[in-house]
Structures are given as C-alpha cells and as structure tokens.
Amino acid sequence: MKLKTIKDSFSQKSLHDLKKFYNLDFQKPLSSPPQNLEQALAAWHLAMENTSPRLEEYKASWQNYWLNCCLSSKCDHMFLILKACGIDREDNVEDLINNEVFLNKITLESKAGEGVYKKTIADWYLRRYNGTMARKILKPFSCWDKLKLFYNLWKILEPFSCWDKLKLFYHSWKIVEPFSCWDKLNLFYPRMLVAIIIGLLALITGQEGWDLPHKLADRIGYFGLTGVSIGFLAISFIYLNYECYNIILDKKKSFLRALRVGLYGFGASLIFSTIICIAVGPISGTTDVMAPDTYYTLQAGLPVFKNIFFFASVALFIGIFIQVFWEKETITEPL
C-alpha cells in the first residue's frame, strides 16, 4: 500500500482502532519517539488532524508530543519517510507555534513560558538555516505594522497628556516587541560573524597577508585575482550547501538557504574588510608592493579594492572552516 494511502486511512479509523492496531492510547501520549511508521502516522493524526470531541481534552498533550518529535534529531529518519506522505516537519512546527489555543494550554497562559517556547523553536529553525521563519517568530510585527499601530494610537490619545501617551506607547511597544534585542541577536548569525572576524585577523596580522593579493595580481592579472577570490566564495557556498543538506535533506531548499546565509556572510565580511582596509591598508603592506600614495587611486588599479575583495572572500572561507574544525555546531547555530 502506498504511503499516501496509509496516511489517508487514519481519517477513517476510530480512537479505539488506534489502541487496537497501533498500541496508542489517545488519553496518554507516548513517552518516547514512535517505534515505527504506522505509530508515527497515528501520533501525527492525533496531534494535527483528528477533531473528535473525545480527544479535545488530550489534544494539547498530543500536539506537545508531536512538537517534541519534530524538534528531536532522533526522529530525522522518520521524518524523511513521512515526507513521502506529504508531512513536512517544519510546516508542522509552524502550525503548532501559531496555534494560540495550544500555546495557552501548554504554557498555562504564561507569556514567559510562551516566550521560552518560541525562542527554542526559533533557534531550531536557525540551525536548519531557516532564518526567515526564525525572524517571523522573534519579530512578529513588521515596521509597517508598528507604524500603523502607533499612528492609530496617536489619533486616539490626542486628548490625553504627553505622559499618558508615553505610558501607553511603552506598553504597546512591549506587545509588538515581545523579545529583547538579546533574544534577536541570533538572527544575525553571531557565530558566523565571529568566525569571519577570526579569519580577517589571520590575514591582517602580517605584511604577507596584505601583500598577497597584490603579488597575485602582478602574476595572474586583475581578473585572475578576482577569479581566485570568487573561487574561495564558491567553495564556501558549496560547503554551506553541503552542511544544510545534511540537516534538512532537501536539495532545492538547502541550496536556497545556503545561498542566503552565504550572501549574508559575504556581505558582512565585505563590510568588515572595507573598514579595515580603508583604515589601516596604506600603512600595513610592504611599500614597494603597494605604495601608500596610490593606494586609493584609480590610475594604480585601486589597490585598496584588491585587498577588500580578496580579504572578504578568504576571511569567509577561513572562518567557515575554522568553525568546522573547532566546533561540531553548524555555522548558523545560535550562541
């Protein structure tokens, strides 16, 4: 029987059938991951689909159990098979974290408890290179939403004093910004940023590093130097794609997510490199290799650009591989 057919068959089964055929008591969620595919499908059915009034009292417990299955690395193989049934673990997690009824029951209507839940899930998405979803969780309101809210509040509060307006604005801000800046810090991939800075330090601490792009340009030309830099970038992107694929096991998604993370990393590396090269570039290299007086001139071929682009690509490359050898976590792993 096809997996899709097996999945659809659960909608015709009663709660007693689940106990009889799959050793599942709908009144008591399992205490360990599902033992086989059928048991996993039955647990998914109880958590995500079954709307029987008899299950209502236990629904939140099953949803919490299924959420833990989605977040657990022990269930990776199971979800790889369930994907053939049209069950995507990230979609399931998104549905559950957006279910206010579930969150209220499982956190006893505690805002602090809900915050911990959402922070944990945002970190899980980040490990899977899904910064977009993590951002939706930690930044639920866009700038436009905030502007509209404050504009409407201003119109309502026009008759009130400035102090009254400030107090209400303060409480409104806490509603639209439920997470602190420290909670949101992981959205900027601090592990990657630190790795890039370490990579830059390895390049700029000696004259050899400053001279290298200029010597390469003299030997292989400007376009050759650009090609070498792009080569380092390509290797970095390939590794990020490989790392992401090993986590989510989806070629298309892993490529797009790794590309986004890689472009972000290169952009950050380019900014750091530009600041350093403009600030100390003319006095850092060997004077007969790069003359300080012509370091910024177009006539000399923009020597500063050779350093900036080369350092940015190589620093990203070094940073990623330092991260690989020093730690087991992914480059997007929250600190």
Side-chain angles (χ1 to χ4, degrees):
M1 188 183 294
K2 292 183 178 179
L3 292 175
K4 198 83 171 175
T5 307
I6 297 174
K7 174 195 168 189
D8 295 339
S9 69
F10 281 93
S11 59
Q12 281 84 44
K13 286 183 169 60
S14 69
L15 296 177
H16 289 298
D17 288 336
L18 298 178
K19 174 69 173 177
K20 179 180 177 181
F21 295 107
Y22 307 110
N23 196 27
L24 283 182
D25 184 351
F26 74 92
Q27 297 179 344
K28 186 180 179 182
L30 298 168
S31 57
S32 60
Q35 299 301 307
N36 51 57
L37 177 62
E38 287 79 9
Q39 203 173 62
L41 282 168
W44 168 83
H45 175 68
L46 289 171
M48 307 301 296
E49 276 208 333
N50 195 299
T51 56
S52 170
R54 296 181 60 202
L55 181 64
E56 185 176 353
E57 183 181 350
Y58 314 100
K59 188 75 171 178
S61 297
W62 275 106
Q63 289 176 331
N64 189 47
Y65 169 77
W66 190 248
L67 178 62
N68 289 328
C69 288
C70 290
L71 301 180
S72 174
S73 59
K74 295 178 181 178
C75 299
D76 287 347
H77 180 69
M78 178 188 77
F79 277 103
L80 184 60
I81 300 173
L82 290 176
K83 191 174 180 181
C85 301
I87 296 174
D88 185 280
R89 69 197 300 185
E90 290 193 9
D91 289 344
N92 284 180
V93 171
E94 182 179 358
D95 290 341
L96 290 171
I97 202 64
N98 289 328
N99 187 331
E100 290 298 327
V101 176
F102 162 67
L103 284 177
N104 288 339
K105 285 186 178 180
I106 212 68
T107 60
L108 302 178
E109 298 189 6
S110 164
K111 286 296 178 185
E114 182 179 327
V116 171
Y117 249 74
K118 289 187 173 181
K119 178 73 167 53
T120 301
I121 290 170
D123 288 348
W124 178 79
Y125 274 115
L126 285 172
R127 292 185 196 101
R128 298 172 66 82
Y129 281 59
N130 194 344
T132 302
M133 194 59 218
R135 197 167 288 107
K136 283 183 181 179
I137 295 172
L138 296 181
K139 300 177 81 172
F141 294 94
S142 67
C143 292
W144 180 243
D145 292 330
K146 294 172 188 175
L147 286 173
K148 285 195 295 184
L149 173 64
F150 292 136
Y151 172 73
N152 291 329
L153 279 175
W154 184 265
K155 285 171 44 176
I156 295 170
L157 296 175
E158 193 58 42
F160 294 91
S161 68
C162 288
W163 179 244
D164 291 329
K165 293 175 184 176
L166 286 173
K167 283 196 296 184
L168 192 55
F169 272 119
Y170 169 73
H171 291 297
S172 301
W173 183 260
K174 289 175 69 176
I175 293 172
V176 298
E177 288 287 349
F179 296 96
S180 71
C181 59
W182 296 110
D183 293 325
K184 298 175 183 178
L185 182 64
N186 287 326
L187 295 175
F188 298 96
Y189 305 124
R191 192 179 295 274
M192 172 181 276
L193 297 181
V194 171
I196 289 170
I197 292 172
I198 293 173
L200 277 172
L201 289 174
L203 289 168
I204 68 174
T205 49
Q207 283 188 340
E208 296 82 1
W210 287 97
D211 293 343
L212 181 58
H214 304 281
K215 291 179 178 179
L216 279 174
D218 290 340
R219 182 180 289 264
I220 60 179
Y222 217 107
F223 288 108
L225 177 64
T226 304
V228 170
S229 301
I230 292 174
F232 279 111
L233 279 178
I235 295 171
S236 301
F237 288 148
I238 288 169
Y239 175 76
L240 292 174
N241 189 16
Y242 168 76
E243 184 177 72
C244 184
Y245 176 76
N246 282 340
I247 298 169
I248 67 174
L249 300 174
D250 186 306
K251 288 183 179 180
K252 184 178 180 181
K253 285 184 179 179
S254 65
F255 174 78
L256 293 175
R257 292 182 186 182
L259 185 62
R260 280 196 293 267
V261 171
L263 289 175
Y264 168 81
F266 178 63
S269 185
L270 200 60
I271 292 171
F272 295 151
S273 177
T274 301
I275 293 171
I276 291 171
C277 290
I278 289 177
V280 298
I283 60 173
S284 300
T286 307
T287 54
D288 58 346
V289 174
M290 53 179 191
D293 295 338
T294 61
Y295 190 65
Y296 303 111
T297 62
L298 185 62
Q299 292 81 359
L302 285 175
V304 63
F305 181 74
K306 296 177 186 176
N307 279 124
I308 289 173
F309 191 63
F310 183 78
F311 281 6
S313 56
V314 176
L316 178 63
F317 172 82
I318 293 174
I320 287 174
F321 281 91
I322 284 175
Q323 167 72 19
V324 172
F325 290 122
W326 279 2
E327 301 187 45
K328 296 179 181 178
E329 288 83 1
T330 64
I331 196 75
T332 57
E333 178 83 20
L335 289 175

